[in-house]
Amino acid sequence: MEERIRKAVSEALQQMGAGDTVFVVERPADFTHGDYATNAALAAAKVLGKEPKKVADALARFLIGKLGKDIASHIAVAGPGFVNITLAREAVTFATVEANAKGAEWGKGTAKEGKRVIVEYSNPNAFKEMHVGHLVGTVVGEAVSRLIENSGATIARDTFGGDIGPNVAKALWGLRKNGVSEPTTAQEIGAAYVEGSSAYETSSEAKEKIDALNQAIYAGTDRELMELWRKGRDVSMEEFRRIWKLLGTHFDFEFFDSDTTETGVRVVQDGLAKGIFERSDGAIIYNGEKKSVHTMVFVTSHDTPTYEAKDIGLAFLKEERWSSDESIVVTGNEQTGRFKTVLAALEDVAPLLAAKTKHITTGFLKLSSGKMSSREGNIVTTAGFIQNVVEKASEKNADPLIAEQVALGAIKYMILRQAPGADIIFDAEKSLALDGDSGPYVQYALVRAKSVVAKASNSQQSTNNTAPAEPARIERLILHFPEVVARASRELAPNLLVNYLTELAGEWNSFYAQERIIGGDHEAYKLMLARAFVNTMTNGLTLLGIPAPEKM
């Protein structure tokens, strides 16, 4: 419907002589202002040199004739020149019927049909436990992937983890110090990393040994060391995959630092020969001053690549393994400055790769203790964090499966409700509340609606399928679902869908409280509306990766 209105507005502006005007068609915040509003008259008035009110009057008259009474029951000029459009009962009914009939297809788009998009996210480092920062990236990356996939694109998911470098050397030093040759758990390896990291900062002897280990790992000639390295990486990845499965995520590609080192160094050295990079105190750096980004080291004076060189190598590796039209990378916002330098360097060495790469950021998940650091040994792990919330959810949900679904809904909702890059303050009590702004709140609205539909299927229903004369507010909200999903995909902003579903849950709860659905007037139509709500909420939660429980 939004697209139909947009085309009509464009046609009107073309006839007025302002065809290139940029305008918006959107849902008003207040239902009393109609179902759609446009600022087209305000924008066109500047081009035409006319009063906005007069342009708006002309636009309204055109839309009345173009859309007709079967689409728009009321079109009015408001304020300094906005045009508000209220849909006719027939148009709202059609949207409700469509939401009911399409089922899982309701809300699917075609904006990226034929496109190939690869999305990188999560990115936990082997030899360390997955912490809550990776949890945030995993939840956001999966939601972004699903939204893009919903718009018609072919998606590949990849994750890029550190399996070589100083952090790995610290963990291996800790394992060796404790006589561990067969690590069995991620917790054991994580503890070794913390011990090694602390020793690196406090003992010059340990620092020297860890630096030597780092060199030996890159060389790969110490068979005993490399065997321990392989075993440690396998244990780490097994735990990561367990967590990803729990979170509803899978990856088509699992890339490692060791996969990208050779390519990254070669590209940087080629760039050095071309003057893109330069030498500084024995290291190879990218001088970012020319592009107003940070100057950073890409190859150290010990001839080992930094994360930046590995990111360059990864860009080439992705293109080799799975050529794409777009490449999206999800990281924490603390990497914003570093990634600007990486993209600036990539633009110089491979302009086409840089042009299709987009970096989106996530904020920190903060508890009462604030930001956590694995180096300091007080990390809050993803596994431990999820388990704590599941245990809290179990206090009101005896069924272990439901407790897990509610806990994951609470966690994902609190992460995804924030705008991209914004920090998340997690409060266990509020996140699990059944009233207000929470995952369980929207989950429970869906459970309640499913209960109504199930109850109706077991009873004789009215054959009167006529709709009430005036559309319910929930109907007028449901019809916007495809537009909200399309915008969330376009802007890579899952929070837009979260906000919509929260509002939708509130409208359902009001409708449920005020209307007699089974046995009341317009019973068949109201049951169809209930099914339309179930489809809309289910599809929305699925796109966010939030579980849709059958009961709570």
Side-chain angles (χ1 to χ4, degrees):
M1 184 57 67
E2 178 187 331
E3 188 59 29
R4 183 168 182 174
I5 293 171
R6 185 179 297 279
K7 288 180 179 179
V9 172
S10 295
E11 186 177 335
L13 295 180
Q14 192 72 38
Q15 290 187 12
M16 294 179 190
D20 294 330
T21 301
V22 177
F23 62 92
V24 297
V25 174
E26 58 189 0
R27 178 171 67 93
D30 190 336
F31 275 104
T32 62
H33 295 165
D35 298 298
Y36 292 94
T38 179
N39 68 341
L42 288 167
K46 298 177 182 179
V47 177
L48 298 172
K50 296 181 179 180
E51 292 181 16
K53 184 72 165 54
K54 291 184 178 179
V55 177
D57 287 337
L59 176 60
R61 287 194 297 272
F62 180 91
L63 293 177
I64 289 171
K66 183 69 177 179
L67 297 175
K69 287 294 183 180
D70 60 330
I71 296 296
S73 63
H74 186 64
I75 298 176
V77 176
F82 291 99
V83 176
N84 294 336
I85 302 162
T86 300
L87 296 182
R89 167 79 263 188
E90 292 83 351
V92 177
T93 300
F94 180 82
T96 304
V97 171
E98 187 178 24
N100 172 56
K102 282 193 170 183
E105 295 298 306
W106 170 239
K108 286 191 179 296
T110 58
K112 288 188 179 294
E113 202 167 73
K115 298 292 184 182
R116 288 163 61 91
V117 183
I118 188 166
V119 185
E120 174 193 325
Y121 59 98
S122 193
N123 297 358
N125 294 317
F127 298 91
K128 297 168 70 174
E129 290 190 76
M130 187 188 295
H131 61 70
V132 292
H134 298 125
L135 168 64
V136 173
T138 303
V139 170
V140 172
E142 179 62 26
V144 166
S145 298
R146 292 184 183 203
L147 285 167
I148 296 172
E149 198 166 32
N150 189 72
S151 68
T154 299
I155 283 283
R157 295 165 170 83
D158 80 275
T159 189
F160 180 42
D163 69 337
I164 192 169
N167 66 299
V168 177
K170 292 170 184 176
L172 292 179
W173 179 90
L175 289 172
R176 280 186 157 188
K177 178 179 177 294
N178 295 320
V180 178
S181 60
E182 296 281 347
T184 56
T185 68
Q187 293 74 22
E188 181 181 34
I189 296 171
Y193 165 76
V194 171
E195 186 175 358
S197 184
S198 176
Y200 191 86
E201 298 293 335
T202 58
S203 168
S204 59
E205 180 183 357
K207 182 178 186 301
E208 184 177 341
K209 290 182 178 180
I210 291 170
D211 285 339
L213 277 177
N214 189 35
Q215 295 290 321
I217 297 167
Y218 276 107
T221 56
D222 185 331
R223 292 181 62 182
E224 182 183 338
L225 176 66
M226 297 313 293
E227 182 64 21
L228 180 60
W229 172 78
R230 278 188 287 272
K231 290 176 180 177
R233 192 178 80 167
D234 287 347
V235 170
S236 292
M237 293 307 300
E238 184 178 351
E239 173 65 1
F240 294 162
R241 292 178 192 125
R242 183 190 71 82
I243 294 173
W244 288 331
K245 184 177 181 180
L246 176 63
L247 293 172
T249 292
H250 72 279
F251 290 102
D252 302 288
F253 300 97
E254 294 174 359
F255 295 120
F256 297 101
D257 280 352
S258 57
D259 298 325
T260 66
T261 297
E262 184 180 344
T263 301
V265 170
R266 185 181 70 248
V267 172
V268 170
Q269 288 176 339
D270 288 346
L272 177 65
K274 296 175 182 177
I276 295 171
F277 297 91
E278 58 188 69
R279 286 278 183 186
S280 177
D281 296 327
I284 302 177
I285 69 167
Y286 181 80
N287 189 334
E289 291 184 8
K290 55 188 176 182
K291 291 188 176 180
S292 299
V293 298
H294 298 308
T295 295
M296 302 190 78
V297 174
F298 277 64
V299 177
T300 71
S301 57
H302 298 292
D303 292 326
T304 56
T306 63
Y307 287 122
E308 290 69 39
K310 295 169 187 175
D311 280 328
I312 294 290
L314 178 62
F316 283 84
L317 182 59
K318 285 182 184 179
E319 187 65 15
E320 176 187 321
R321 297 280 184 88
W322 203 82
S323 181
S324 64
D325 298 294
E326 296 178 49
S327 178
I328 296 170
V329 181
V330 181
T331 74
N333 56 21
E334 74 277 8
Q335 295 195 40
T336 298
R338 187 186 76 80
F339 218 86
K340 285 181 179 179
T341 299
V342 170
L343 286 178
L346 186 61
E347 185 178 39
D348 289 343
V349 299
L352 294 180
L353 289 183
K356 71 178 183 180
T357 302
K358 183 176 180 61
H359 180 222
I360 62 177
T361 63
T362 61
F364 295 115
L365 192 156
K366 296 181 178 180
L367 306 178
S368 57
S369 57
K371 179 184 173 183
M372 290 68 68
S373 169
S374 58
R375 187 169 63 85
E376 296 168 0
N378 63 342
I379 182 175
V380 175
T381 67
T382 293
F385 180 76
I386 293 174
Q387 184 57 38
N388 286 340
V389 182
V390 170
E391 290 174 0
K392 192 76 176 174
S394 298
E395 295 173 6
K396 295 183 179 179
N397 298 278
D399 187 318
L401 174 60
I402 296 173
E404 183 180 284
Q405 291 177 321
V406 170
L408 291 174
I411 293 169
K412 292 185 175 187
Y413 180 96
M414 294 302 285
I415 291 172
L416 296 173
R417 67 192 285 266
Q418 300 296 334
D423 289 345
I424 303 106
I425 306 298
F426 191 87
D427 182 304
E429 293 293 338
K430 291 181 180 178
S431 70
L432 289 167
L434 285 177
D435 55 336
D437 198 6
S438 73
Y441 173 73
V442 295
Q443 287 176 316
Y444 188 61
L446 175 58
V447 168
R448 179 179 279 178
K450 285 181 176 179
S451 176
V452 171
V453 172
K455 183 178 180 181
S457 66
N458 295 324
S459 62
Q460 186 175 358
Q461 297 177 33
S462 168
T463 57
N464 181 6
N465 198 32
T466 59
E470 291 297 321
R473 285 169 62 121
I474 190 170
E475 289 182 82
R476 295 174 62 189
L477 189 56
I478 285 173
L479 68 89
H480 289 285
F481 178 65
E483 302 150 16
V484 174
V485 171
R487 184 185 170 195
S489 173
R490 189 168 59 247
E491 299 183 16
L492 303 179
N495 63 298
L496 299 176
L497 180 55
V498 173
N499 295 339
Y500 168 84
L501 294 181
T502 306
E503 184 181 0
L504 182 65
E507 287 300 333
W508 165 258
N509 288 337
S510 296
F511 180 78
Y512 180 83
Q514 296 169 11
E515 298 287 340
R516 184 180 180 185
I517 301 175
I518 299 176
D521 295 336
H522 310 284
E523 177 188 20
Y525 186 84
K526 288 178 181 176
L527 285 171
M528 181 183 68
L529 175 55
R531 293 192 298 270
F533 167 78
V534 168
N535 290 341
T536 304
M537 183 61 77
T538 300
N539 295 353
L541 292 178
T542 299
L543 287 173
L544 296 172
I546 293 177
E550 292 299 322
K551 58 181 181 178
M552 286 173 68

